[in-house]
């Protein structure tokens, strides 16, 4: 039996354990449990991307019902939430309420530079359990498609 306790029993070479390079210690980040994103938060980010010109309108094609897609298609070219003096718009707050099962009415505040804009939207859950945007309002003005022949 070996009296050297630094080597496993049965090892015959004379080398000792190799030195391990020191690892950089990281400060542990405060633990925050990751909650899954709620449907209204997910939609607020997507609507912001379209209304700020970062994404094309057709990005929302399968995520809208009724006139909501037409409203976005009419409004998106003017990019009402576009960058202000070089600052990209950011979603500041987003809250939602569920007045009845299968419906979420949400509002969000969006900051771009020194401007704060409000956005409200309605989500409806389909029979396939997917949420879709049914209406959008921005800054108190309802986003409606222009009447035919009017621009």
């Amino acid at each position: 039996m070996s009296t050297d306790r630094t080597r496993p029993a049965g090892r015959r070479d004379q080398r000792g354990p190799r030195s391990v390079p020191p690892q950089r210690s990281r400060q542990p980040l405060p633990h925050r449990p990751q909650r899954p994103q709620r449907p209204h938060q997910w939609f607020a980010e997507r609507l912001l991307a379209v209304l700020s010109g970062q994404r094309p309108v057709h990005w929302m094609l399968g995520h809208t019902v009724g006139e909501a897609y037409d409203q976005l298609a009419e409004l998106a070219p003017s990019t009402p939430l576009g960058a202000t003096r070089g600052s990209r718009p950011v979603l500041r707050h987003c809250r939602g309420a569920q007045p009845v099962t299968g419906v979420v009415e949400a509002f969000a505040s969006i900051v771009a530079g020194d401007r704060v804009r409000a956005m409200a939207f309605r989500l409806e859950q389909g029979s396939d359990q997917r949420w879709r945007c049914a209406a959008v309002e921005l800054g108190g003005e309802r986003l409606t498609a222009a009447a035919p022949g009017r621009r």
Side-chain angles (χ1 to χ4, degrees):
M1 187 186 285
S2 174
T3 58
D4 187 0
R5 296 180 188 260
T6 61
R7 279 193 299 250
R11 186 171 176 176
R12 301 218 188 281
D13 64 353
Q14 297 299 315
R15 292 180 297 145
R18 293 184 184 179
S19 64
V20 178
Q23 294 180 345
R24 289 189 292 175
S25 62
R26 291 184 184 177
Q27 290 286 6
L29 296 174
H31 179 67
R32 278 194 210 165
Q34 290 270 339
R35 290 191 320 195
Q37 203 173 31
R38 294 186 174 162
H40 61 276
Q41 295 166 328
W42 186 82
F43 270 92
E45 291 286 348
R46 289 182 82 88
L47 289 169
L48 173 61
V50 170
L51 295 174
S52 65
Q54 298 171 31
R55 294 286 186 175
V57 178
H58 69 266
W59 194 50
M60 292 292 291
L61 191 57
H63 303 289
T64 55
V65 292
E67 294 182 13
Y69 183 79
D70 295 335
Q71 292 170 349
L72 288 172
E74 183 72 27
L75 186 67
S78 65
T79 59
L81 297 177
T84 305
R85 295 185 199 132
S87 61
R88 185 175 172 184
V90 177
L91 188 66
R92 187 168 76 174
H93 295 289
C94 183
R95 303 279 189 264
Q98 195 167 9
V100 295
T101 303
V103 173
V104 172
E105 293 179 348
F107 64 92
S109 62
I110 298 160
V111 178
D114 57 352
R115 293 193 62 182
V116 177
R117 300 285 303 263
M119 177 173 63
F121 54 97
R122 179 183 175 96
L123 304 178
E124 295 176 357
Q125 193 172 29
S127 58
D128 60 357
Q129 301 302 305
R130 292 181 55 199
W131 291 96
R132 291 179 178 86
C133 183
V136 180
E137 292 184 18
L138 186 64
E141 296 179 21
R142 186 168 183 142
L143 307 179
T144 58
R150 183 178 160 215
R151 289 235 169 214

